[in-house]
Amino acid sequence: MIRKLVRNASLFTPLDGGRPAAGRQQGELLHLPRAAILIENGLIASLGAEDEVLPTLQDAPIDEEIDAAGSCMVPGFVDPHTHLCFVSPREAEFTRRLRGVAYLDILQQGGGILASVAAIRQTSEEELYRLTRERALQALSFGSTTLEIKSGYGLDTENEMKMLRVIKRVGRSTPLDVVPTFLGAHAVPPAYAGREDAYLDLLIEEMLPRIKAEELAEQCDIFCENGVFSLEQSRRLLTAARDIGFHVKIHADEVNDLGGAGLAAELQALSADHLLAASDVGLARMAAAGIVATLLPATAYSLRKPYARAKDMLAHGVALALATDCNPGSCLCESMPFVIGLAVLNMGLTPAEALTAATLNAAYAIGMAEKVGSLQVGKQADFLLLDGESPAILAFHAGVSPVCAVYKRGEKIF
Ligand code: NIG
Ligand code: FE
């Protein structure tokens, strides 16, 4: 057994009460100004004030001592919504958007997500792995220790499975915990234009069962939006996925309110994501069903859209998570500190609410809360040391990352 001791940390963590932290709880952190953590084989074995923990360690041998030198320590970030398995960013499209062309219009014209699909289909699995791994390590350098990564730029059986194999391999070949999500319903592929239901048949009859059999993903997602998949089509796919054992989530009410938030509640989804246009009725249904709202403020920023109504969601009692949405089109961003900064300064979350959103609630949004998301006995010793006095530095120090060290299962990885 390898035993490590972290000393002299100013520790801030949300506490896991067995479900996502909602309402007032979202803003409540444990703060231990001088904490010690005993780590055994990468898991937290004991944690508390130094003068309580140290006396209990009398004769136990310690293999490594980590002096945090009074730094602010927080849980590693969990980024619960990314599309970072892609070939290259769509920069020309970004400049078109700057000139006023709408994101969904670009997709309608065969660009957008479909341009990224064409690129994926022409790229070898090996090259896609190299590109994805590099981007995942970039996210790690900004403090993400757990990442969700979606497929969705293949849109046929061969290329969706290629993406999912790449995503799984990135998890195995880096220190990160990687959770793959099947997003075959990200757009309607050109070969099925105008035949969305036939494409759904392919997803349900061929892709879902094969992905399940090869254990390539445990979560299924869909882009529910005008010109993409309707609410009824979303219900059909996600119900079929759930019936064969997938957890489900949904890109809901991003540009238009189609009722995606309510559908997430109806299906007991792990999360509903985006929600820029979600209605009060939808939010109330999410709150009642305990569904996490995963907010993606860097996407609103990049699309120059109004932010999701985070304060209203909190008032409704919805638990909020934050994610980068890192993707080649609507939001090219691997940085959770940037996302936290937007959430605090532009959406009105407190630094404590934003930290809970980026750690504990994010872990719940991808079914990982048993292992990660808070610093507590039994969970993995995934933590960050920040160059500041409190989590507020994440929002305050703009344009750089205040994350000076990243530890995964007690191992320094950045
Ligand atoms: O979450 N909304 C749909 N999917 C992504 C964008 C993907 C892309 O533009 O490549 C999103 O914003
Ligand atoms: Fe997305």
Side-chain angles (χ1 to χ4, degrees):
M1 156 138 48
I2 302 201
R3 302 172 97 230
K4 301 186 182 190
L5 178 67
V6 187
R7 296 182 57 159
N8 197 9
S10 173
L11 180 147
F12 294 84
T13 183
L15 291 179
D16 188 346
R19 63 177 116 94
R24 182 154 0 112
Q25 269 184 346
Q26 171 123 21
E28 285 168 4
L29 300 180
L30 169 72
H31 178 212
L32 298 171
R34 200 180 165 96
I37 303 181
L38 177 68
I39 301 165
E40 291 179 348
N41 287 344
L43 301 182
I44 299 175
S46 161
L47 176 151
E50 237 187 36
D51 50 10
E52 285 166 19
V53 173
L54 296 186
T56 66
L57 303 176
Q58 289 312 345
D59 17 66
I62 299 289
D63 299 289
E64 187 189 336
E65 202 168 290
I66 302 163
D67 182 2
S71 313
C72 172
M73 175 196 273
V74 296
F77 300 132
V78 177
D79 187 346
H81 181 142
T82 86
H83 308 253
L84 60 70
C85 181
F86 63 82
V87 181
S88 51
R90 307 193 301 267
E91 203 170 320
E93 178 187 306
F94 174 70
T95 55
R96 284 184 71 201
R97 283 203 285 108
L98 290 180
R99 290 199 297 269
V101 184
Y103 175 74
L104 285 180
D105 289 346
I106 295 172
L107 177 61
Q108 285 310 323
Q109 293 156 14
I113 293 169
L114 294 177
S116 294
V117 170
I120 286 268
R121 290 178 176 182
Q122 286 162 15
T123 302
S124 72
E125 187 159 333
E126 206 51 38
E127 175 66 358
L128 187 59
Y129 164 71
R130 195 185 61 75
L131 292 165
T132 306
R133 183 173 185 276
E134 218 164 86
R135 239 171 253 127
L137 293 175
Q138 178 82 358
L140 184 159
S141 76
F142 289 114
S144 295
T145 48
T146 299
L147 282 182
E148 185 254 23
I149 308 179
K150 301 175 195 294
S151 68
Y153 296 117
L155 308 190
D156 61 29
T157 308
E158 178 195 332
N159 286 286
E160 283 295 309
M161 294 187 68
K162 175 171 93 183
M163 287 188 76
L164 290 170
R165 282 193 302 270
V166 162
I167 293 164
K168 216 174 158 179
R169 188 170 157 203
V170 168
R172 284 200 309 260
S173 67
T174 64
L176 291 156
D177 277 306
V178 171
V179 176
T181 297
F182 172 53
L183 180 56
H186 197 190
V188 182
Y192 285 85
R195 298 190 297 132
E196 292 82 10
D197 286 301
Y199 182 56
L200 286 185
D201 292 341
L202 177 73
L203 290 172
I204 293 170
E205 285 158 23
E206 184 172 302
M207 294 196 217
L208 279 174
R210 285 192 58 185
I211 288 161
K212 185 82 194 159
E214 298 190 25
E215 298 182 358
L216 291 176
E218 292 178 5
Q219 309 190 137
C220 178
D221 193 350
I222 187 166
F223 189 13
C224 178
E225 183 55 73
N226 284 344
V228 195
F229 296 100
S230 69
L231 189 72
E232 200 34 64
Q233 288 164 340
S234 303
R235 180 181 282 115
R236 185 176 154 223
L237 175 73
L238 296 181
T239 304
R242 216 184 41 172
D243 286 350
I244 62 165
F246 282 86
H247 294 293
V248 300
K249 43 193 25 242
I250 177 166
H251 280 67
D253 309 332
E254 175 176 357
V255 184
N256 300 287
D257 175 22
L258 300 195
L263 181 62
E266 175 188 320
L267 296 176
Q268 275 297 314
L270 278 178
S271 67
D273 302 33
H274 285 290
L275 303 169
L276 302 186
S279 67
D280 282 334
V281 176
L283 297 184
R285 291 188 63 191
M286 282 180 62
I291 309 299
V292 176
T294 297
L295 305 185
L296 310 154
T299 310
Y301 170 82
S302 178
L303 294 178
R304 296 186 291 177
K305 299 247 183 225
Y307 291 87
R309 297 181 292 135
K311 296 303 277 184
D312 290 346
M313 293 179 188
L314 281 178
H316 270 98
V318 177
L320 304 183
L322 286 168
T324 61
D325 197 20
C326 182
N327 74 66
S330 67
C331 182
L332 185 62
C333 172
E334 300 91 344
S335 168
M336 286 297 280
F338 179 67
V339 167
I340 290 170
L342 292 177
V344 169
L345 291 165
N346 290 349
M347 299 171 95
L349 296 193
T350 64
E353 287 165 345
L355 183 69
T356 300
T359 56
L360 181 64
N361 286 355
Y364 272 103
I366 53 172
M368 285 291 285
E370 273 179 23
K371 293 184 182 163
V372 301
S374 60
L375 296 173
Q376 287 177 267
V377 171
K379 291 207 192 191
Q380 293 182 15
D382 294 3
F383 60 87
L384 315 176
L385 299 179
L386 306 181
D387 183 16
E389 292 166 13
S390 75
I393 194 66
L394 291 163
F396 183 33
H397 203 164
V400 301
S401 169
V403 175
C404 29
V406 180
Y407 286 79
K408 182 74 179 170
R409 296 184 205 96
E411 200 76 45
K412 189 171 187 176
I413 55 171
F414 175 76

